[in-house]
Amino acid sequence: MTKLIIKNKFAKSDYDIHSTYECGISLFGWEVKSLRSNNGNLNNSFCSITNKNELWLNNLYIAQYMLVKGDSYRSRKLLMHKREIIKMRTIMDKLSLQILPVSIYWKNNHIKVEIALAKRLKKYDKREKIKELEVKKRIKNIIY
């Protein structure tokens, strides 16, 4: 059973998604309580891989919970197996892709992050994508 907490609105429209992965996230208690009340934002957030093959989520905004003092934009560690991170890094380097978070959700009482290897679309690519979707909608309406 999954329950969506936050979704990156611009991920599917601004990027061409190559593949997606699911990983855990390391959070403080107040951050979990804040996410439980849907107080977060994925705008301008991205993931990075360090030299020690660790995956970090940067620029994720989680609102302050009550009077707790903490950094809302701190970098948070993503929990994946090292071999998966290494495989992701090789694909990323070969195809010159970026890692970005697509959504954050609850799964079996754990907070999970869905990340994607994606390539940013140019303006003309976005237009072509919109045209294709409109053509598919028209065909669907004609058939039914």
Side-chain angles (χ1 to χ4, degrees):
M1 178 85 185
T2 60
K3 181 186 172 196
L4 186 67
I5 300 172
I6 307 169
K7 186 175 181 181
N8 192 347
K9 298 174 186 174
F10 304 108
K12 295 210 167 127
S13 62
D14 291 351
Y15 292 91
D16 182 29
I17 295 176
H18 182 268
S19 59
T20 60
Y21 299 92
E22 179 185 74
C23 56
I25 185 169
S26 176
L27 296 171
F28 293 141
W30 66 269
E31 293 173 330
V32 174
K33 290 179 182 180
S34 183
L35 283 177
R36 188 169 281 147
S37 60
N38 294 339
N39 291 332
N41 196 346
L42 279 174
N43 290 347
N44 300 325
S45 59
F46 62 96
C47 297
S48 59
I49 300 176
T50 62
N51 292 335
K52 296 180 183 178
N53 291 324
E54 294 176 339
L55 191 59
W56 290 86
L57 179 60
N58 304 313
N59 286 350
L60 168 66
Y61 174 74
I62 297 178
Q64 297 283 327
Y65 183 76
M66 297 185 122
L67 297 175
V68 177
K69 292 184 180 176
D71 187 13
S72 297
Y73 285 101
R74 75 176 182 91
S75 296
R76 293 161 180 93
K77 188 173 183 179
L78 295 178
L79 308 172
M80 282 182 81
H81 291 285
K82 195 162 277 197
R83 66 178 176 272
E84 288 180 318
I85 296 172
I86 293 169
K87 187 191 295 184
M88 194 180 342
R89 177 181 244 169
T90 55
I91 294 170
M92 190 176 89
D93 291 340
K94 284 181 184 176
L95 302 175
S96 66
L97 302 173
Q98 299 172 349
I99 306 172
L100 65 130
V102 177
S103 63
I104 298 177
Y105 54 91
W106 285 97
K107 183 177 180 183
N108 298 331
N109 292 328
H110 297 290
I111 294 178
K112 299 288 183 178
V113 178
E114 183 181 12
I115 58 174
L117 285 173
K119 189 167 193 156
R120 188 165 196 114
L121 292 174
K122 303 272 194 266
K123 200 169 191 176
Y124 56 86
D125 290 332
K126 290 182 199 176
R127 289 180 188 147
E128 288 177 13
K129 197 173 187 180
I130 292 170
K131 285 179 187 176
E132 289 175 8
L133 291 174
E134 287 178 359
V135 168
K136 286 180 184 178
K137 284 181 185 177
R138 287 180 186 165
I139 292 172
K140 203 176 217 182
N141 289 337
I142 292 171
I143 291 174
Y144 298 112

